[in-house]
Amino acid sequence: MRKKIGFALLLIVFLVFARFAFVKFMEKQTAKSRAASMIPVVSTDVVKAEDIANSIEASGRIVAKYNVDIVAKVSGSLLNKHFQEGDYVQKGQLLFTIDPQEYAINVNKAAANLQNAQAVAFRAQKDFDRAKELVAKDFIAKSTYDQNLAEKNVAYANIKSASAQLSDAKRLLSYTRITAPVSGRIGMVNVTEGNYITPQTGSLARLVSLDPIYVTYSLDSKQFNQLKNDTILPTVKQDEPIRVQITLPDGTVYKHEGDEDFFGNEISQTTGSISLRATFKNPEHTLVPGDFVKVKIFSNTKHKKLIVPQAAVLQDSTGRYVYTLADGNKAVQTYIQTEGEYDKYFIVKEGLKEGDTFVSDGVVNVMNGMEVRIAEKQPEEADVPENRNEPSSEVE
């Protein structure tokens, strides 16, 4: 009986210890599972070097290639306006009509004077021809011949004078039809129909061309000296033009690139800057003269530079940093110096070297010294910048 009781007690003690051990084992497993679940899952990438063209940014202003004040060249009553204010007009299109009656009369008078001069010259020519025959036979005096020659020359000179007067009268008559000297958008009318206008009246309306269009900007002497040796400025004639890109006030990049076609021949002693200009296509008339834009000039020379995605870069009071990986997949806070942007990447000046592994995705869940778990990389993930054909870096 006592043996049975002792065996039962031993069994109970064994079961108690077994349960205790099982509970401890499960607690350890749970702790391990929790610890594993707290390790952030991240994606990694390696630092790459890309051929990148330097660039520089400046503030620019849109300027019309042609900015014309439409003025009257003759005096008269303004009869008609042949456009709507704000219209886009073509070169040669009729804009205004000045009363042509007075100038048409002057054309008729000049035409009549020319006909009269031609008739006089015809008679003088005949008299001269007869005098020439007679003086050869010694039937008339030499002085008579000389007089006929002079009259003929005067008559032909009068034809030239009358012809010039007719041309001038026609020119003045043509000025009564004011046409567009260039294609562009016309503004508000300053003088309405019915008013008597003269060349001193001033601008009837202003016409500005829109396509092509200029963007003017300036670089300070420091930027100029820093970049002129990198073919970012046309110091010599080049086969490949200097590319210029502009960003509109709403933040969108204008879809047409421009060509830099002018830079000043000296740095201003007042402002310490040099003037430049680029020409842009503007078929949709998106660019409006007078507007301000951000200009980016691209170098034709490219350099090998290290890049990291902007999404992988964090910043604190010390500066920008990324998380690189040390032994055991531990994240290490690594500070970097950047020298501009390239597409969606930062260009790294210091702090990293080509081939370094860094956390590219999931960086917000990482802390310095924390162990991370690397997710399997999907085959379709891209490793390089999207816009490889037009790389650039912005010089800070």
Side-chain angles (χ1 to χ4, degrees):
M1 186 66 181
R2 288 181 180 179
K3 289 182 179 180
K4 292 182 178 180
I5 294 173
F7 179 76
L9 290 174
L10 289 174
L11 182 59
I12 292 172
V13 172
F14 174 78
L15 292 175
V16 170
F17 277 102
R19 178 177 176 80
F20 178 78
F22 178 76
V23 170
K24 288 296 183 181
F25 174 77
M26 293 303 297
E27 287 179 352
K28 289 182 179 180
Q29 292 298 112
T30 302
K32 288 182 179 180
S33 298
R34 288 179 178 176
S37 64
M38 293 179 64
I39 297 177
V41 179
V42 300
S43 298
T44 61
D45 204 346
V46 294
V47 179
K48 303 176 182 66
E50 286 286 326
D51 289 326
I52 298 175
N54 286 336
S55 68
I56 185 171
E57 286 192 354
S59 296
R61 189 173 187 179
I62 301 172
V63 178
K65 184 175 182 179
Y66 300 106
N67 194 330
V68 184
D69 282 317
I70 306 299
V71 297
K73 295 182 180 180
V74 294
S75 301
S77 296
L78 185 61
L79 295 184
N80 298 108
K81 169 178 69 70
H82 303 277
F83 61 91
Q84 294 295 325
E85 293 171 312
D87 278 354
Y88 187 87
V89 299
Q90 298 293 334
K91 181 179 180 179
Q93 181 177 331
L94 180 63
L95 302 179
F96 297 97
T97 301
I98 298 174
D99 186 358
Q101 184 174 358
E102 176 185 351
Y103 301 97
I105 292 173
N106 291 337
V107 169
N108 291 334
K109 287 182 178 179
N113 291 336
L114 176 59
Q115 289 180 346
N116 182 65
Q118 290 171 339
V120 172
F122 178 79
R123 179 176 179 180
Q125 181 67 47
K126 292 295 185 181
D127 290 343
F128 171 75
D129 292 341
R130 284 192 293 269
K132 187 176 181 180
E133 293 177 0
L134 293 175
V135 75
K137 298 177 181 179
D138 204 23
F139 289 161
I140 60 173
K142 185 68 167 57
S143 59
T144 302
Y145 169 81
D146 292 339
Q147 182 179 356
N148 287 334
L149 176 61
E151 289 176 353
K152 185 201 74 166
N153 292 337
V154 169
Y156 279 105
N158 287 337
I159 289 178
K160 292 182 178 180
S161 176
S163 178
Q165 291 177 6
L166 177 59
S167 297
D168 188 58
K170 289 180 177 180
R171 178 181 62 87
L172 295 177
L173 176 62
S174 69
Y175 289 162
T176 62
R177 292 171 53 86
I178 302 176
T179 58
V182 296
S183 298
R185 193 173 303 283
I186 196 163
M188 296 181 63
V189 175
N190 299 320
V191 182
T192 58
E193 294 96 329
N195 285 282
Y196 188 84
I197 60 175
T198 69
Q200 289 72 41
T201 299
S203 176
L204 304 179
R206 175 166 290 186
L207 176 63
V208 295
S209 63
L210 296 177
D211 186 25
I213 201 164
Y214 292 146
V215 173
T216 60
Y217 47 97
S218 299
L219 297 179
D220 60 42
S221 57
K222 180 181 177 180
Q223 293 170 320
F224 182 81
N225 291 326
Q226 182 180 4
L227 299 173
K228 65 182 179 181
N229 294 326
D230 198 25
T231 66
I232 201 167
L233 297 174
T235 53
V236 295
K237 186 176 180 180
Q238 303 174 74
D239 294 333
E240 182 180 356
I242 302 299
R243 298 184 300 115
V244 181
Q245 182 186 82
I246 58 174
T247 302
L248 304 179
D250 62 0
T252 59
V253 176
Y254 185 55
K255 65 180 182 179
H256 298 291
E257 283 191 344
D259 292 337
E260 186 178 279
D261 56 10
F262 168 81
F263 74 104
N265 56 3
E266 62 180 357
I267 295 177
S268 171
Q269 297 181 3
T270 304
T271 62
S273 61
I274 187 169
S275 299
L276 299 97
R277 186 187 70 196
T279 301
F280 286 80
K281 295 179 180 179
N282 191 28
E284 298 87 6
H285 304 163
T286 304
L287 305 181
V288 180
D291 202 1
F292 290 92
V293 293
K294 184 170 69 174
V295 180
K296 180 178 283 190
I297 319 162
F298 294 91
S299 166
N300 286 337
T301 302
K302 297 180 180 180
H303 308 274
K304 283 281 186 183
K305 296 188 178 183
L306 303 180
I307 58 172
V308 292
Q310 295 182 19
V313 179
L314 301 177
Q315 187 168 0
D316 59 16
S317 58
T318 303
R320 291 172 175 160
Y321 63 92
V322 297
Y323 284 111
T324 57
L325 294 186
D327 295 337
N329 287 343
K330 286 187 177 181
V332 178
Q333 188 177 21
T334 306
Y335 285 93
I336 62 174
Q337 291 186 17
T338 61
E339 56 174 342
E341 299 177 6
Y342 161 41
D343 195 28
K344 298 179 181 180
Y345 293 75
F346 281 122
I347 299 172
V348 180
K349 185 178 181 181
E350 293 181 7
L352 295 173
K353 62 182 182 296
E354 187 174 2
D356 283 350
T357 302
F358 63 93
V359 177
S360 60
D361 191 23
V363 66
V364 294
N365 299 320
V366 180
M367 296 181 64
N368 189 30
M370 176 184 290
E371 184 179 352
V372 297
R373 184 157 54 92
I374 301 174
E376 293 186 4
K377 195 170 186 179
Q378 299 298 322
E380 64 272 14
E381 290 183 0
D383 290 334
V384 295
E386 296 176 359
N387 186 9
R388 295 178 60 91
N389 294 327
E390 299 180 353
S392 68
S393 68
E394 176 187 336
V395 177
E396 296 178 342

